[in-house]
Amino acid sequence: MSTVVPADKALAPVFRTSDLVAKLISAGTAACVAEAITLPLDCTKIKLQVEGGTMGSTIRTIAATDGMKGFFRGLTPGLHRQLGFCTIRLGLYDSTKDFYKQVRSYYTYFLSRIC
């Protein structure tokens, strides 16, 4: 018994280059902007956990000892992490989701024909 899969049920390529590049760039940019915005609060939280005290006193201590630069300690490794991890995770999300939808549709059609 031979089963012919109709053209509309066949697996089509879901990774379009131009769409994928745009999604990767926008995901990486968004992740880096979010990292840069939230890093001062994260640095304050970590110092607060290590040294104790209040949020206000911790902010004053960081500002007095290191200045504004103290709030952005670790920015470079944070941006590298976001570029490596979130760019791929967020950028490939839609394409991967569409791929698995097609695979599911393909196998559901195929199984309905043989069962």
Side-chain angles (χ1 to χ4, degrees):
M1 176 179 181
S2 153
T3 303
V4 177
V5 179
D8 64 331
K9 296 293 182 186
L11 293 176
V14 292
F15 296 101
R16 291 171 205 84
T17 306
S18 62
D19 291 344
L20 183 61
V21 170
K23 287 177 183 177
L24 289 172
I25 290 172
S26 62
T29 303
C32 287
V33 168
E35 178 73 19
I37 290 172
T38 59
L39 188 66
L41 185 60
D42 195 38
C43 287
T44 305
K45 175 196 69 137
I46 291 169
K47 196 154 186 119
L48 181 63
Q49 289 173 337
V50 171
E51 296 178 359
T54 64
M55 183 72 109
S57 68
T58 304
I59 291 173
R60 282 190 296 277
T61 302
I62 294 172
T65 57
D66 298 325
M68 284 302 289
K69 198 164 113 177
F71 291 105
F72 291 95
R73 247 183 231 292
L75 181 62
T76 302
L79 292 177
H80 284 120
R81 181 186 68 236
Q82 297 300 343
L83 283 173
F85 178 65
C86 287
T87 298
I88 293 169
R89 182 175 58 115
L90 296 174
L92 292 178
Y93 176 77
D94 287 329
S95 299
T96 305
K97 183 179 72 171
D98 293 343
F99 173 75
Y100 281 113
K101 277 183 182 177
Q102 283 186 359
V103 168
R104 182 176 176 201
S105 170
Y106 174 76
Y107 284 114
T108 302
Y109 175 80
F110 183 72
L111 290 174
S112 70
R113 295 293 178 225
I114 62 172
C115 294

